[in-house]
Amino acid sequence: TKVFLGASALMSNGSVLSRVGTACVALSARSANVPVLVCCETYKISSRVQLESITANELGDPDDVISTSLAHEGKAEADSILEDWMSIPDLRVLNLLYD
């Protein structure tokens, strides 16, 4: 059994840049002693060095991570605590695209 992952970029120090959630899959596989193989096209190999995933990460639309509907709990209304999240002071929602 092996885990195959795709990569958005492969950095010169061996770091892999991939979609959010990929690191969790790789860590889970490692804890189960399952080999992880990363597949990446050669044009995605970069001379850059990525030391962590915050400073050079891309941000997605915050509304993609906030559900403003409670329909999954059996309620038909679109009431939610975070329905007006943009008006809550000191709340900033980040939708990081890469691990």
Side-chain angles (χ1 to χ4, degrees):
T1 303
K2 294 175 182 56
V3 173
F4 287 90
L5 300 172
S8 298
L10 179 63
M11 304 301 170
S12 62
N13 65 346
S15 298
V16 174
L17 188 68
S18 193
R19 300 296 288 192
V20 166
T22 306
C24 290
V25 171
L27 289 171
S28 296
R30 181 179 180 190
S31 70
N33 293 323
V34 175
V36 176
L37 302 169
V38 177
C39 304
C40 180
E41 294 91 346
T42 55
Y43 73 89
K44 294 182 179 181
I45 298 174
S46 172
S47 60
R48 254 182 49 203
V49 174
Q50 181 97 7
L51 300 177
E52 40 76 26
S53 64
I54 301 296
T55 53
N57 208 327
E58 291 181 27
L59 296 176
D61 184 8
D63 287 325
D64 290 345
V65 294
I66 294 183
S67 174
T68 58
S69 174
L70 296 177
H72 63 277
E73 292 182 13
K75 296 182 180 180
E77 307 158 1
D79 294 332
S80 173
I81 296 171
L82 295 175
E83 189 171 358
D84 59 344
W85 69 270
M86 291 179 150
S87 66
I88 300 173
D90 300 325
L91 176 64
R92 181 167 181 197
V93 178
L94 295 178
N95 180 8
L96 298 176
L97 294 182
Y98 299 102
D99 275 335

